[in-house]
Amino acid sequence: IGGTKIAAGLVSESGEILERSHEPTPDDSTKIPSVVADLVERLVGEEEAVGIGIAAAGFVGEDRATVRFAPNIDWREEPLADHVRSLVDLPVVVENDANAAAWGEFRFGAGEDTDDLLLVTIGTGIGGGIVHKGQLFRGGFGVAAEIGHMRIVPNGILCGCGQHGCFEQYASGSALVRDARERVANGDENAGALAALADGDLSRITGPGITKLAQQGDQLSLELLRDVGRWIGEGIAVLAAVLDPSVIAIGGGVAAAGDLLLPTVVEAFETHLPARAHRPEASVRLAALGNEAGIIGAADLARVEPA
């Protein structure tokens, strides 16, 4: 469930999405459970479903049923599982979207060969999910792995969370776009391709657009991606010092840049990893499931950790 779209899938035990459907997220948040129920009934049909897994962007309580806070939906202490369960006679598990994606990657994607995985999702903001010893790590209150709000620059750029210098202000898709638009607005002599993309309207400069220009060899777009990659690498080096994962998977929209991004991430990670010569080193790789990781992970959690 996102701020603009509710995407759903019927997922097999092997992590394959058998059927897909989606609906716009209603402006009235009280209507969301009925939209979810309609999607479930549409997808299940004559199949025998064992449960409903919901991935929601926001803080999900330790009960795996309540959304404590959502940044893009008017939810505060929302008993989402109860509301959906009242409409569909199936068990319901609610999980943070990045946690669900991490579980999907652990079970069926980039983390299939490990039992300790850190997923870093780089999109508009930065999310994270941690699997430790084969278990999803939720923390004491259910809101662990909000890694986008790890402060990496004291007195840095103001973040929407109210703090200054958060990781996502330097290493996210929003940071990439902000920096590109600033270069165009300031008349950078190297920003010709980006200026042409904008064509007088800076809002036309988007993350996918920058990535496409980089793939075509535009030097400024490549530089901007490398800048974001360095910040990602520095951030995950700090996280590795705390969490010691064996695999770090990079997902989200920015990861679509693939090999244009990953070598810079790895180089910065290796440079800033503390005592690198004296420790085993995590494998840094791209996530494998793309935008489907959250649906697959949420469904699997409903199966393996039923409500």
Side-chain angles (χ1 to χ4, degrees):
I1 300 175
T4 59
K5 183 177 74 172
I6 301 175
L10 180 66
V11 184
S12 73
E13 291 183 0
S14 61
E16 179 185 1
I17 298 182
L18 306 175
E19 299 285 347
R20 296 171 176 81
S21 191
H22 62 85
E23 292 288 345
T25 303
D27 294 333
D28 181 354
S29 63
T30 64
K31 296 180 180 178
I32 290 177
S34 64
V35 175
V36 171
D38 288 345
L39 284 166
V40 169
E41 291 175 354
R42 184 189 312 167
L43 288 167
V44 171
E46 299 301 317
E47 299 285 348
E48 184 177 348
V50 300
I52 302 168
I54 298 177
F59 291 170
V60 176
E62 64 271 25
D63 61 357
R64 298 187 302 144
T66 303
V67 181
R68 297 193 179 281
F69 165 77
N72 299 311
I73 298 174
D74 184 23
W75 278 340
R76 303 294 184 271
E77 300 299 329
E78 169 71 15
L80 182 58
D82 288 345
H83 286 162
V84 173
R85 196 181 296 115
S86 70
L87 300 171
V88 184
D89 187 22
L90 284 170
V92 180
V93 170
V94 182
E95 188 54 76
N96 168 268
D97 58 343
N99 282 356
W103 185 258
E105 290 288 349
F106 164 67
R107 289 274 287 157
F108 306 108
E112 282 188 293
D113 59 346
T114 183
D115 62 358
D116 279 278
L117 168 76
L118 168 65
L119 174 68
V120 182
T121 59
I122 312 291
T124 302
I126 294 180
I130 302 163
V131 178
H132 176 62
K133 300 300 182 186
Q135 300 293 317
L136 188 61
F137 179 74
R138 297 182 175 89
F141 303 102
V143 296
E146 289 292 332
I147 62 175
H149 300 289
M150 170 179 70
R151 192 172 75 152
I152 59 173
V153 178
N155 302 314
I157 297 169
L158 177 64
C159 182
C161 74
Q163 301 298 316
H164 289 262
C166 290
F167 187 25
E168 69 176 38
Q169 292 303 312
Y170 298 86
S172 66
S174 295
L176 174 68
V177 170
R178 181 195 65 224
D179 292 348
R181 291 176 179 176
E182 285 180 358
R183 297 289 280 268
V184 172
N186 292 334
D188 191 306
E189 62 181 12
N190 298 313
L194 286 167
L197 180 65
D199 192 23
D201 181 358
L202 291 177
S203 68
R204 294 179 180 174
I205 299 176
T206 63
I210 297 166
T211 298
K212 185 176 180 179
L213 286 176
Q215 291 167 339
Q216 294 170 352
D218 178 58
Q219 290 304 303
L220 179 55
S221 297
L222 286 165
E223 177 189 330
L224 291 166
L225 277 173
R226 286 193 292 267
D227 286 345
V228 166
R230 281 191 288 272
W231 281 114
I232 294 170
E234 289 190 32
I236 64 175
V238 174
L239 292 164
V242 176
L243 300 171
D244 191 31
S246 56
V247 171
I248 301 172
I250 309 297
V254 173
D259 290 340
L260 296 178
L261 180 74
L262 193 62
T264 304
V265 173
V266 172
E267 180 182 1
F269 169 71
E270 293 174 347
T271 299
H272 294 280
L273 184 66
R276 181 188 171 209
H278 306 287
R279 61 187 297 161
E281 199 168 302
S283 170
V284 180
R285 58 185 69 161
L286 294 174
L289 301 181
N291 292 332
E292 296 180 337
I295 291 175
I296 293 169
D300 196 64
L301 285 169
R303 180 180 294 110
V304 301
E305 297 186 6

